[in-house]
């Protein structure tokens, strides 16, 4: 049972344009969502996050939108740069009563930004 | 550099063998998480330790075990290795209740032949 899904395995955009990466989840108990970026041969790097009580969080070129009713979140990168080319993972967490912050990851979307 | 270190970076071993992967969390982080990334899958949560105690378990096989030591470094032990155990193993650390963000090490690539 995959609780976090990234349905697009890959995305290709032109430099300077907007990149939109999507993520869906099924568990309404998740209360925090995160995006990680991963380059080959490196560990995932934290990018941006959003609490379930918000619907938008912005950090420079990166904005995450959360639609709780649709159980959907998206990451917008504007403008996209060739250095953004990487695998992007959506992750969800919920401490709940178990007092754990384990992350449930999606399968990842490979973003290619063409010069 | 996340501040999380993992050794070794690469490990090649034969089926049936046992290996130990090591992780040192960021200074001040009490929680350590282990994740496995297989070729055809995303990152799968294995186990979490908080200040020396097991806090949560995920899809961790009985052949696998972990511990966190008083200096907060952690080791993941994999025994009776099978070909399907070949994967990237990541360690992450965080300070629970202060932040949901986890900071990942560079990973250990395990190849079982």
């Amino acid at each position: 049972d995959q609780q976090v899904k990234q349905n697009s395995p890959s995305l290709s955009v032109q430099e300077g344009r907007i990149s939109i990466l999507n993520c869906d989840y099924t568990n309404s108990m998740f209360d925090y969502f995160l995006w990680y970026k991963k380059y080959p041969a490196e560990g995932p790097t934290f990018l941006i996050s959003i609490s379930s009580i918000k619907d938008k969080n912005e950090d420079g070129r990166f904005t995450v939108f959360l639609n709780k009713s649709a159980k959907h979140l998206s990451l917008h990168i504007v403008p996209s740069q060739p250095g953004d080319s990487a695998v992007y993972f959506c992750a969800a967490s919920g401490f709940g009563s178990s007092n754990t912050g384990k992350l449930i990851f999606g399968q990842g979307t490979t973003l290619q930004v063409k010069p | 550099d996340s501040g999380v270190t993992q050794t070794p970076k690469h490990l090649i071993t034969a089926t049936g063998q046992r290996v130990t992967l090591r992780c040192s969390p960021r200074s001040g982080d009490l929680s350590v998480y282990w994740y496995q990334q297989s070729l055809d899958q995303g990152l799968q949560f294995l186990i979490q330790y908080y200040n020396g105690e097991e806090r949560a378990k995920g899809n961790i096989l009985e052949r696998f075990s972990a511990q966190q030591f008083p200096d907060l470094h952690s080791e993941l032990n994999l025994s009776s290795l099978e070909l399907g155990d070949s994967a990237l193993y990541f360690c992450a650390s965080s300070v629970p209740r202060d932040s949901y963000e986890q900071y990942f090490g560079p990973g250990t690539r395990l190849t079982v032949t």
Side-chain angles (χ1 to χ4, degrees), chain A residues 31-32 34 36 38 41-46 48-49 89 93-96 98-108, chain B residues 9 33 35 37 40-45 48 55-58 88 90 96-97 99-107 109:
Chain A
D31 57 11
Y32 208 78
L34 307 91
Y36 281 82
K38 186 181 181 306
E42 295 184 12
T45 301
F46 170 71
I48 191 169
S49 61
F89 290 98
S93 184
F95 279 108
S98 63
N99 195 28
T100 174
K102 68 179 183 183
L103 297 178
I104 308 298
F105 282 87
Q107 298 293 87
Chain B
K9 195 166 180 62
Y33 303 80
Y35 294 87
Q37 185 182 23
D40 57 350
Q41 294 194 12
L43 290 109
Q44 302 286 322
F45 169 71
Q48 177 202 2
R55 181 60 60 88
K57 260 186 174 179
L88 272 166
F90 290 103
R97 297 205 177 280
S99 171
Y100 283 82
E101 288 84 12
Q102 294 178 18
Y103 295 87
F104 284 77
R109 180 174 291 281

Side-chain angles (χ1 to χ4, degrees), chain B residues 53-90:
Chain B
E53 294 188 0
E54 182 184 302
R55 181 60 60 88
K57 260 186 174 179
N59 298 324
I60 187 167
L61 299 171
E62 286 190 11
R63 301 183 284 108
F64 295 2
S65 64
Q67 54 184 328
Q68 187 178 27
F69 295 86
D71 67 352
L72 299 178
H73 91 270
S74 177
E75 292 181 356
L76 179 67
N77 301 296
L78 315 176
S79 62
S80 302
L81 285 167
E82 301 175 358
L83 296 178
D85 297 327
S86 296
L88 272 166
Y89 291 86
F90 290 103

Side-chain angles (χ1 to χ4, degrees), chain B residues 13-49:
Chain B
T13 189
T15 54
Q17 295 298 305
R18 172 190 169 95
V19 297
T20 298
L21 313 183
R22 182 188 170 103
C23 168
S24 292
R26 294 186 317 162
S27 177
D29 284 358
L30 300 178
S31 228
V32 169
Y33 303 80
W34 286 97
Y35 294 87
Q36 178 193 55
Q37 185 182 23
S38 302
L39 199 60
D40 57 350
Q41 294 194 12
L43 290 109
Q44 302 286 322
F45 169 71
L46 294 178
I47 196 165
Q48 177 202 2
Y49 276 81

